[in-house]
Amino acid sequence: LSRQPSGVLSCGGVTLDEGRHAVTVNDRPVSLTLKEYELLKLFLENIGQVFSREQLLARIWGYDFYGENRTVDIHVLRLRKKLGLDTEIRTIFKIGYIFDIKE
């Protein structure tokens, strides 16, 4: 993970620019919803860490979220497709998700 002073997170071809609120994969712009962006930012800041659905709900949606925890699954699925990172954002069976990308 490369974090530059300008608020740019970069790893394995994925770049998230906090100042511009922009994401690219191998220099190709990717349009994300706010929640997808926040998920990606959390994953980039915590590469290799497993997050449960409940942890993701609390950190991204907030503790007062009253919806289904399956919303996390849907957002992760969309994020995988948009970024083309099917194997890097992995499901850990009965636990949650991990972002494990190589430099």
Side-chain angles (χ1 to χ4, degrees), residues 7-72:
V8 175
L9 300 170
S10 184
C11 185
V14 177
T15 302
L16 182 143
D17 184 334
E18 295 177 88
R20 293 184 21 241
H21 208 270
V23 173
T24 59
V25 176
N26 298 322
D27 298 321
R28 175 186 54 87
V30 178
S31 179
L32 300 178
T33 66
L34 178 59
K35 296 301 183 197
E36 292 164 350
Y37 177 90
E38 290 175 347
L39 273 171
L40 177 60
K41 183 173 182 266
L42 180 66
F43 283 143
L44 282 170
E45 291 174 334
N46 298 279
I47 293 172
Q49 181 177 336
V50 177
F51 289 96
S52 69
R53 285 182 186 91
E54 292 75 21
Q55 288 173 315
L56 292 172
L57 279 172
R59 291 180 81 168
I60 304 300
W61 282 265
Y63 285 104
D64 58 348
F65 179 76
Y66 292 109
E68 291 281 325
N69 69 0
R70 289 304 206 194
T71 194
V72 172

